[in-house]
Amino acid sequence: PLVAYYLVNLARVYRAHGDYEDAMPLLQRATAIREAKLEADDPIIAQSLGALGALLTAMGRYEEAIPPLKRAISLLTTAYGADHPQDTPPLKSLGTVYFRLGRYNEAGELYERCRATNSRTFGADNMRVGFDNIGLGDVHLAMQRLERARQCYARASEIFLARYGPRHVNNAYAHTGLGKVAAAHGDHHEAVRQFEISLALVESALGADHPRVANTLEPLAASLNALGRDSEAAAALERTDRIRGR
């Protein structure tokens, strides 16, 4: 139904602007319309369910996000098969949910599945594969598999550099990950270098007060503190708190 299509797209606009509460009823209505008008196993329903699950994830409502994401995956795999690229958006969203809940093995399995599907469908140098490597790097880092994490972030960096060049903001994900790996190894000089590259990219692309700036300043402050650069660390943390409205 065309109305549901427009509702989902409008909800995505609201979500992009951080207006989560306005987006929620639109996605709920779109899902209800499609469920009423379409067959129960129609894969179009998965679009609404996947968007709803992604929104709940963005709102931090992780347990609530699991049922719509699982149902979206079930609809898509039934319609297209278990290794179709249509499956990957809700798979990756569910991986993010599991990661945030500390269910790292489950998250890693889903990210691996996404990476394999995207590599086979779009090629090993596709940007989707780059982001899959970022997700896997985060999982390995959380599980203290530092060399595997470094390899994932480094591969993502190669993909992003080849596709976008060195100044694109997507490179920041890889630099931040590499910085965290260096910090975990105790190499805080290298960590600071990586975090400062990431910070410059994010500030240039998104502005000095964007939430992603705070996400980079926080680990930067920890490494600065480890190097005894206390005043710089304090300034970075103060700026982090200001961005986050504390």
Side-chain angles (χ1 to χ4, degrees):
L2 198 57
V3 172
Y5 172 81
Y6 288 124
L7 287 171
V8 170
N9 284 341
L10 181 58
R12 285 173 172 161
V13 172
Y14 281 134
R15 181 190 163 190
H17 287 280
D19 299 327
Y20 299 149
E21 297 299 334
D22 291 325
M24 180 64 70
L26 298 180
L27 291 175
Q28 290 170 331
R29 185 180 167 200
T31 303
I33 289 171
R34 285 173 167 166
E35 289 178 327
K37 299 288 186 181
L38 302 171
E39 295 293 330
D41 60 352
D42 195 309
I44 293 176
I45 297 171
Q47 183 199 35
S48 306
L49 291 167
L52 180 60
L55 177 63
L56 288 165
T57 303
M59 297 173 76
R61 295 162 61 175
Y62 304 126
E63 295 289 352
E64 293 174 71
I66 293 174
L69 289 172
K70 281 189 169 182
R71 188 170 166 224
I73 292 164
S74 177
L75 289 169
L76 292 169
T77 54
T78 299
Y80 303 117
D83 58 356
H84 194 278
Q86 290 272 22
D87 304 340
T88 58
L91 281 171
K92 190 153 191 185
S93 292
L94 185 57
T96 299
V97 168
Y98 286 154
F99 180 81
R100 300 280 170 78
L101 292 173
R103 295 164 63 173
Y104 300 129
N105 284 321
E106 292 167 281
E109 289 172 4
L110 294 178
Y111 289 146
E112 288 276 15
R113 186 173 159 189
C114 289
R115 184 171 67 173
T117 298
N118 286 328
S119 294
R120 183 171 52 253
T121 305
F122 303 108
D125 296 327
N126 187 269
M127 67 173 183
R128 296 172 182 83
V129 180
F131 284 112
D132 295 335
N133 275 294
I134 294 294
L136 279 167
D138 291 344
V139 168
H140 291 314
L141 181 63
M143 299 180 77
Q144 291 298 301
R145 300 169 178 167
L146 299 184
E147 178 55 24
R148 293 173 72 178
R150 187 200 64 76
Q151 290 172 358
C152 287
Y153 293 135
R155 179 65 186 126
S157 181
E158 290 174 357
I159 293 170
F160 293 150
L161 281 170
R163 183 173 180 85
Y164 302 114
R167 297 181 182 176
H168 194 279
V169 66
N170 284 349
N171 292 296
Y173 290 109
H175 286 295
T176 297
L178 290 168
K180 289 178 178 179
V181 170
H185 278 298
D187 187 355
H188 292 287
H189 289 288
E190 174 62 13
V192 167
R193 188 183 77 83
Q194 294 286 355
F195 292 141
E196 286 180 340
I197 293 171
S198 178
L199 184 62
L201 290 168
V202 174
E203 287 177 329
S204 176
L206 303 176
D209 296 324
H210 193 276
R212 277 185 61 188
V213 172
N215 294 341
T216 308
L217 284 167
E218 199 165 42
L220 172 61
S223 283
L224 288 169
N225 187 63
L227 292 170
R229 295 162 63 177
D230 298 341
S231 61
E232 293 172 86
L237 285 177
E238 183 180 319
R239 190 175 163 202
T240 301
D241 290 344
R242 186 171 66 252
I243 292 170
R244 292 175 174 166
R246 293 175 182 166

